[in-house]
Amino acid sequence: MTAQQNTSLASFTGDANPYGGGDPYADYRTADLPFTQYANLADRQLGAGVVAANDEFFAQRENLLVPEPAEFDPEHFGHKGKVMDGWETRRRRGASAEQPWPTEEDHDWALIRLGAPGVIRGIVVDTAHFRGNYPQAVSVEGASVAGSPSPEELLADDVKWTTLVPRTPVGGHAANGFAVSTEQRFTHLRLKQHPDGGIARLRVHGEVVPDPAWLTALGTFDVVALENGGQVEDASNLFYSPATNTIQPGRSRKMDDGWETRRRRDRGNDWIQYRLVDRSQIRAVEIDTAYLKGNSAGWASVSVKDGDEGEWREVLPRTRMQPDTNHRFVLPEAAVGTHARVDIFPDGGISRLRLFGTLTEDGAAHLAARHQELGG
């Protein structure tokens, strides 16, 4: 089990310059992090939450999971001091005048419930706008606990915590990225900052591993939904918004909560390719263009293939889409496959794709075996 900081910037770790005015992100430090292709398992839209923290004197723990980038208002002060858009704890002190410094073991912590349990591929600890008040180091642990445990149950002695990111120095006003290679299914994280300080945002990228017993009990369900283990493998264009939006829970709430491509000036078309939760029989399709009014797809089709080397087979022919409308189609016969693809013509966007069906017998067996292998 290893973890490392994924950045090639030599000056990434350490102090950021004091805010000099103007664009607060002008000197923000970041890098390309390959694991961000995976969904954010700590997304509030999936049901994630910060269930507890030992201290949140200056800024609330819930800010860690806000989907938007952290904001900075240099003139915003409250009764406790500077108001920051993140999670910030008070300054730790030592035991006496002779030893006024925190000990090596002193740290603050927050407990995070993942919105969807899964295998974690990478973690981003973002210290945006924390320039002189960021932690010296951070560490992250993961646990797998069934049900809906309370903070007290998560902190009990019998809960096994696995180190995902060992104690590692971080930089201020920077997106600190860590690759994770632990092949286990986790439901909760414990984020620690050593010895104290502030963190703006936490992102936990990985692959959803659903509970097979739950899906079996549901019977027919959305076999491409992110919360059920579906994932986006590729897309033709991600100019305005990520393709993963199309398999998020619920209906889209605004235009950028779906998938929209740039305007085409050629004779091609745009598309998204998905991997289903496992091998499935698809019986119905739902394509929603909610909030896409002057920019929805003109037409859409859906294809399915069975196995990585299988041939694509169109199961919903090219069909006219209406703006800001939920379109529902019952397939004439069940389509069996492991992958799906939606093509839109010529460009534009859709907000959601739903593929309703059931796992095949071998798909259910494979999913159950993987769940057990990953410690579910």
Side-chain angles (χ1 to χ4, degrees):
M1 182 258 314
T2 61
Q4 63 184 29
Q5 189 170 345
N6 261 295
T7 175
S8 59
L9 303 180
S11 60
F12 205 75
T13 301
D15 289 338
N17 292 325
Y19 174 61
D23 178 7
Y25 272 104
D27 59 341
Y28 178 67
R29 294 172 292 176
T30 187
D32 289 332
L33 302 170
F35 53 74
T36 56
Q37 65 180 297
Y38 296 101
N40 177 22
L41 304 183
D43 192 335
R44 285 286 304 174
Q45 203 167 346
L46 282 175
V50 186
V51 299
N54 72 305
D55 187 290
E56 47 186 331
F57 185 85
F58 287 113
Q60 297 174 338
R61 64 182 191 262
E62 287 85 359
N63 290 334
L64 284 170
L65 304 188
V66 170
E68 294 79 18
E71 297 182 350
F72 180 72
D73 181 350
E75 298 181 356
H76 191 187
F77 285 81
H79 293 293
K80 293 184 178 180
K82 180 72 185 71
V83 175
M84 295 294 290
D85 185 7
W87 168 50
E88 186 180 5
T89 65
R90 71 192 76 200
R91 299 190 188 211
R92 283 184 171 270
R93 297 293 185 243
S96 66
E98 290 71 30
Q99 293 295 328
W101 309 280
T103 69
E104 188 68 16
E105 292 75 31
D106 283 343
H107 66 271
D108 292 316
W109 54 264
L111 296 176
I112 295 93
R113 178 190 66 246
L114 297 180
V119 178
I120 297 167
R121 301 301 182 194
I123 295 173
V124 179
V125 179
D126 190 347
T127 58
H129 314 304
F130 288 94
R131 296 170 178 271
N133 50 349
Y134 61 94
Q136 181 183 37
V138 300
S139 60
V140 184
E141 301 164 296
S144 183
V145 183
S148 304
S150 66
E152 293 74 21
E153 289 170 323
L154 288 170
L155 295 172
D157 293 338
D158 60 344
V159 173
K160 178 186 176 183
W161 290 93
T162 300
T163 299
L164 303 178
V165 178
R167 182 170 175 167
T168 307
V170 293
H173 195 43
N176 300 272
F178 306 91
V180 177
S181 58
T182 305
E183 289 291 325
Q184 292 183 39
R185 178 183 185 267
F186 295 103
T187 61
H188 294 77
L189 298 185
R190 180 162 58 187
L191 170 65
K192 295 180 180 179
Q193 46 180 343
H194 309 265
D196 55 34
I199 296 169
R201 298 290 188 265
L202 177 72
R203 304 292 186 244
V204 184
H205 297 279
E207 301 173 66
V208 176
V209 180
D211 182 353
W214 175 254
L215 298 183
T216 299
L218 292 179
T220 298
F221 61 93
D222 183 359
V223 299
V224 76
L226 181 60
E227 61 187 326
N228 293 334
Q231 58 183 288
V232 169
E233 289 194 325
D234 200 4
S236 61
N237 188 273
L238 303 172
F239 189 83
Y240 285 112
S241 46
T244 303
N245 281 355
T246 60
I247 54 175
Q248 287 277 11
R251 294 199 74 198
S252 177
R253 297 167 296 176
K254 50 194 174 74
M255 192 172 75
D256 66 348
D257 193 20
W259 170 62
E260 181 189 359
T261 69
R262 69 173 74 205
R263 299 188 186 210
R264 277 192 172 266
R265 303 304 187 201
D266 59 21
R267 308 297 289 180
N269 75 283
D270 289 313
W271 50 267
I272 306 174
Q273 180 176 316
Y274 306 88
R275 178 180 290 274
L276 308 182
V277 55
D278 217 297
R279 192 165 186 258
S280 305
Q281 299 182 76
I282 302 168
R283 296 184 175 86
V285 174
E286 196 172 278
I287 301 175
D288 196 352
T289 59
Y291 291 96
L292 296 164
K293 299 180 179 181
N295 51 353
S296 67
W299 292 262
S301 66
V302 176
S303 301
V304 171
K305 74 173 183 176
D306 196 8
D308 291 332
E309 306 303 322
E311 296 286 333
W312 288 107
R313 179 168 63 93
E314 191 173 73
V315 297
L316 178 70
R318 194 178 303 188
T319 303
R320 188 74 168 98
M321 295 286 106
Q322 300 299 325
D324 195 26
T325 301
N326 195 19
H327 310 76
R328 290 176 171 173
F329 311 94
V330 176
L331 301 183
E333 61 181 30
V336 176
T338 56
H339 296 72
R341 171 180 166 129
V342 61
D343 284 84
I344 63 171
F345 302 89
D347 58 17
I350 61 174
S351 60
R352 295 291 189 270
L353 174 72
R354 305 295 188 211
L355 302 177
F356 295 103
T358 57
L359 290 170
T360 61
E361 188 174 337
D362 58 336
H366 180 263
L367 185 64
R370 183 165 186 257
H371 183 264
Q372 184 175 13
E373 179 186 346
L374 295 171

